[in-house]
């Protein structure tokens, strides 16, 4: 009788594991292939060879690139080279990427930049916020951009590890445990996404495998830190509407973009969810139209299990009128990996499109 019970429990466990594995493959879109959608006037950006995970563009056409991201188990074309911040002036006739100098005292050797965001203060001071993973930890770095010197002055490192957090609680005391992206809303104020609840790589994988939906969005100011939205499969890209009324969050493994209303106390209330058929990564906003441009991964399995003979593909979506009942979703660019592998961001400025990737090249296009 005992053996029958053991065999029965084993069968149930194997069935559960099989169901979770099948569900994970569906969430990764592991069987999806993409049909090419080409743009006629594009070229790869010289000097970006190992990823440009996020891009943010100032109103004057200066574009910042976050380059060289590394994670355990993630492919890298330059595993021993630290990350950096590059800049491109899109008003130049032939724009080129230049690396920005960072002030002395900042640890460049462990610089591992991820999501980025800019904020322009009332006195026209430009702040650059960078999600950083030094030694695969989680911090947010705040820089002042000094345009005349083409440099970044490091102002502050934000990390929040006051007390051990409880295993499951909506009132966490450890807020930055797996930071992915950031959107600045003040000179030292921002929203950030945690794409996992855990920091440990194995526990992250287990969390993803079990589909726990423990990812969240955090608000930070010098006086307050709080969770403002939760229940995401894997909260990824985040951005803010041009009128500052709404926060957009990409849930990459759920293939969704969440629209949340921002309140005066900086809390968020969900208004709607836009379902898509791809893994949505970073979100960029066209300030003139409010359109959302999305860097996407058509097949997540190819992204995380790298095969040079069958590389990850790229996809860029443009979403118009997201607040309407029927937003317009257009595939602007798609490639099977022959040109661009693992697109993570797409940003526009004055008829120009920049497409960055998780660990590959970057593309400059004229629309």
């Amino acid at each position: 009788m005992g053996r029958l019970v053991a065999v029965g429990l084993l069968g149930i466990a194997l069935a559960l594991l099989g169901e979770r594995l099948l569900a994970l493959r569906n969430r990764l879109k592991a069987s999806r292939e993409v049909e090419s959608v080409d743009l006629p006037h594009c070229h790869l950006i010289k000097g970006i060879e190992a990823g440009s995970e996020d891009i943010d563009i100032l109103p004057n056409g200066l574009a910042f690139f976050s380059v060289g991201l590394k994670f355990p188990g993630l492919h890298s074309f330059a595993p021993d080279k630290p990350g950096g911040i590059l800049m491109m002036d899109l008003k130049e006739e032939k724009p080129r990427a230049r690396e920005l100098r960072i002030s002395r005292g900042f640890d460049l050797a462990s610089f591992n930049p991820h999501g980025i965001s800019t904020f322009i203060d009332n006195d026209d001071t430009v702040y650059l916020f960078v999600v950083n993973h030094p030694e695969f930890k989680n911090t947010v770095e705040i820089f002042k951009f000094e345009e005349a010197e083409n440099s970044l002055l490091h102002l502050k490192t934000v990390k929040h590890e006051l007390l051990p957090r409880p295993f499951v609680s909506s009132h966490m005391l450890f807020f930055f445990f797996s930071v992915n992206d950031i959107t600045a809303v003040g000179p030292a104020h921002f929203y950030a996404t945690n794409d996992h609840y855990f920091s440990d790589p194995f526990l992250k994988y287990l969390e993803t495998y079990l589909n726990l939906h423990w990812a969240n969005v955090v608000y930070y100011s010098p006086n307050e830190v709080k969770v403002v939205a939760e229940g995401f499969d894997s909260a990824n890209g985040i951005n803010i509407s041009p009128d500052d009324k709404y926060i957009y969050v990409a849930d990459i493994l759920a293939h969704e973009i969440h629209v949340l209303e921002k309140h005066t106390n900086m809390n968020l209330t969900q208004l709607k969810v836009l379902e898509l058929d791809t893994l949505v990564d970073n979100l960029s906003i066209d300030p003139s139209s409010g359109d959302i441009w999305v860097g996407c991964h058509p097949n997540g399995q190819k992204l995380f299990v790298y095969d040079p003979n069958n590389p990850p593909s790229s996809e860029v979506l443009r979403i118009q009128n997201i607040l309407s009942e029927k937003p317009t979703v257009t595939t602007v660019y798609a490639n099977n990996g022959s040109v661009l592998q693992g697109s993570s961001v797409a940003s526009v400025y004055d008829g120009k499109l920049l497409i960055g990737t998780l660990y590959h090249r970057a593309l400059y296009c004229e629309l």
Side-chain angles (χ1 to χ4, degrees), residues 1 73 155 322:
M1 184 65 180
L155 301 177
I322 192 168

mmCIF file of all heavy atoms in Angstrom, residues 1 73 155 322:
data_model
loop_
_atom_site.group_PDB
_atom_site.id
_atom_site.type_symbol
_atom_site.label_atom_id
_atom_site.label_comp_id
_atom_site.label_asym_id
_atom_site.label_seq_id
_atom_site.Cartn_x
_atom_site.Cartn_y
_atom_site.Cartn_z
ATOM 1 N N MET A 1 0.835 -1.210 0.000
ATOM 2 C CA MET A 1 0.000 0.000 0.000
ATOM 3 C C MET A 1 0.872 1.264 0.000
ATOM 4 O O MET A 1 0.630 2.216 -0.721
ATOM 5 C CB MET A 1 -0.912 0.000 1.239
ATOM 6 C CG MET A 1 -1.885 1.175 1.267
ATOM 7 S SD MET A 1 -3.067 1.099 -0.089
ATOM 8 C CE MET A 1 -4.007 2.587 0.241
ATOM 9 N N GLY A 73 24.394 33.048 -16.777
ATOM 10 C CA GLY A 73 23.655 32.222 -17.725
ATOM 11 C C GLY A 73 23.239 32.934 -18.987
ATOM 12 O O GLY A 73 22.761 32.304 -19.929
ATOM 13 N N LEU A 155 26.357 61.114 -8.633
ATOM 14 C CA LEU A 155 25.814 61.820 -7.480
ATOM 15 C C LEU A 155 25.451 60.904 -6.330
ATOM 16 O O LEU A 155 25.674 61.238 -5.159
ATOM 17 C CB LEU A 155 24.555 62.607 -7.893
ATOM 18 C CG LEU A 155 24.720 63.653 -8.992
ATOM 19 C CD1 LEU A 155 23.365 64.276 -9.320
ATOM 20 C CD2 LEU A 155 25.719 64.725 -8.592
ATOM 21 N N ILE A 322 -3.161 53.894 -26.836
ATOM 22 C CA ILE A 322 -3.278 52.765 -25.910
ATOM 23 C C ILE A 322 -4.441 52.936 -24.937
ATOM 24 O O ILE A 322 -4.983 51.950 -24.425
ATOM 25 C CB ILE A 322 -1.958 52.536 -25.147
ATOM 26 C CG1 ILE A 322 -1.997 51.170 -24.413
ATOM 27 C CG2 ILE A 322 -1.670 53.677 -24.181
ATOM 28 C CD1 ILE A 322 -0.692 50.702 -23.881
#
